Amino acid sequence: MQCHSDQVVYMDNNATTRIAPEVVEAMMPFLTDCYGNPSSMHTFGGQVGQAVEQARESIARLIGARAEEIVFTSCGTESDSTAILSALQTFPEKRHIVTTRVEHPAVKSLCENLDNLTGHKHRITWLSVDADGTLDLESYRQALSDETAIVSVMWANNETGVLFPVEEMARIAKERGVLFHTDAVQAVGKVPINLGATDIDFLSLSGHKLHAPKGVGVLYVAKGTPFIPFINGGHQEHGRRGGTENVASIVGLGKACELAGANMEEENTRVRALRDKLEAGLLGSVPKSLLNGHAQDRLPNTANISFEYVEGEAILLHMNQHQICASSGSACTSGSLEPSHVLRAMGVPFTAAHGSIRFSLSTYNSEEEIDFVLEKMPAIIAKLRTMSPFWEENE
């Protein structure tokens, strides 16, 4: 199968990223010659084990953690489930979870399922957001109780890029004796993180969001945090996650974290400038368009824009004809015809929520690509609006 990625304008990096060439190079020996089991006692396997530990150290450096606090998983979803279910098993008498209405399905669906378990029903407090997608800390304080086992709040929203004050929220949780988890899948590598200076107990990250392969993730477990494994088995990960390690992908994730640390300044300067140019150009050239999410407290790569009175799916199909890749929300919910639960929670009007497009950039994007999108998008929206029964009466 041939994928002609050189012809694609890829602006869907919050869904997944290309694997960096340096990451592929770092992985290759562990897909060919270095195939030993890292848990084996012989030197051949021990060398592979050393590579796993080096990757663990690289990941820890990026997020300001200790190497021994890094647990390898298969993805961000597994990490999220592990953290939340561990807390509930650690404190079986506590059946209360605090989270937000705008979480990724990895957390949202788990909490909904826990809420509906027959005979083991848990109470979920769903924190609301305002029109900018931000949280109210006073409402959060009031939500915590002696029955709260864990708080799970994402560091950055995957659809709007809005950043939440998770460090402050973790401090408040600690004062109440409550464990705190953050899904930082979208934040790691884009904003500075120093977990050693926070009260965060658990943090999830995923390799394919920062130019590493799919199928590898991490759960940070702060030293001293009570923990019960989700996957039991062998002694891997110091007994915290059974199963032979996905060595090549772990090594790739370690290399990707090194690159992310080196590219952090570029992410927050050049990439941010490209995003701002795209935003300003679209909002200035397309009538009845609006930005979803806080203008400043946001990831440097993410722009979520609604084009009123048109369907997001139709927009994406027309963009696809020009090989422009973006999304209408989370890739994990793209099969749904319902408007984004994130935008609904923000109170975005129905006529706008249905026509929302998320553009998410990376260091691989260029100014020429931004210009190309700005050239094509106004005509796409104008064409679709001629077919909309709502456009003429609201023009």
Side-chain angles (χ1 to χ4, degrees), residues 82-328:
T82 301
I84 293 170
L85 295 176
S86 171
L88 293 175
Q89 290 181 70
T90 300
F91 304 109
E93 74 284 2
K94 298 184 177 184
R95 296 185 177 273
H96 181 223
I97 302 168
V98 176
T99 187
T100 79
R101 295 190 182 278
V102 296
E103 292 300 307
H104 186 275
V107 169
K108 180 174 178 285
S109 295
L110 173 64
C111 289
E112 287 172 344
N113 289 338
L114 288 168
D115 193 25
N116 294 322
L117 278 178
T118 304
H120 296 279
K121 190 170 183 178
H122 294 80
R123 183 169 64 89
I124 316 296
T125 295
W126 302 94
L127 299 174
S128 298
V129 295
D130 63 16
D132 285 334
T134 58
L135 291 165
D136 175 48
L137 283 180
E138 188 53 40
S139 296
Y140 166 65
R141 284 190 181 91
Q142 292 175 8
L144 298 176
S145 75
D146 293 339
E147 299 300 313
T148 308
I150 190 167
V151 174
S152 183
V153 174
M154 61 196 341
W155 198 303
N157 187 265
N158 52 298
E159 293 192 28
T160 64
V162 170
L163 295 162
F164 291 144
V166 292
E167 294 164 299
E168 173 67 6
M169 297 178 85
R171 185 189 65 76
I172 294 169
K174 186 178 179 68
E175 289 175 353
R176 297 295 303 271
V178 175
L179 293 177
F180 188 92
H181 164 254
T182 181
D183 179 333
V185 162
Q186 296 296 346
V188 173
K190 297 171 190 168
V191 295
I193 294 176
N194 181 13
L195 290 173
T198 76
D199 293 310
I200 292 169
D201 299 294
F202 299 108
L203 175 144
S204 304
L205 68 89
S206 183
H208 76 107
K209 305 295 188 179
L210 65 154
H211 306 290
K214 301 171 184 65
V216 64
V218 159
L219 177 64
Y220 159 84
V221 183
K223 185 178 181 181
T225 300
F227 180 73
I228 297 175
F230 179 51
I231 297 179
N232 292 288
H235 62 273
Q236 296 91 351
E237 297 303 291
H238 302 286
R240 296 176 296 183
R241 199 273 189 182
T244 301
E245 296 89 345
N246 179 4
V247 175
S249 294
I250 286 171
V251 170
L253 178 53
K255 184 63 177 179
C257 286
E258 292 176 13
L259 295 172
N263 294 334
M264 188 84 69
E265 183 178 353
E266 182 184 3
E267 186 85 41
N268 284 275
T269 53
R270 189 184 70 84
V271 174
R272 184 187 294 274
L274 291 178
R275 182 206 64 184
D276 291 348
K277 178 178 179 177
L278 176 65
E279 254 175 37
L282 290 174
L283 296 173
S285 63
V286 181
K288 300 282 186 178
S289 58
L290 59 99
L291 176 68
N292 298 312
H294 197 281
Q296 283 79 43
D297 295 336
R298 191 162 36 112
L299 292 173
N301 78 315
T302 305
N304 189 305
I305 298 177
S306 285
F307 304 96
E308 290 198 86
Y309 310 112
V310 286
E311 291 285 339
E313 288 75 13
I315 300 171
L316 292 175
L317 287 171
H318 281 72
M319 291 171 66
N320 189 57
Q321 293 175 3
H322 300 288
Q323 300 199 64
I324 302 170
C325 299
S327 73
S328 57

Side-chain angles (χ1 to χ4, degrees), residues 352-371:
H354 258 298
S356 67
I357 300 296
R358 180 189 68 185
F359 300 89
S360 45
L361 311 182
S362 81
T363 54
Y364 291 106
N365 286 116
S366 67
E367 190 154 8
E368 290 75 19
E369 290 176 324
I370 301 297
D371 291 337

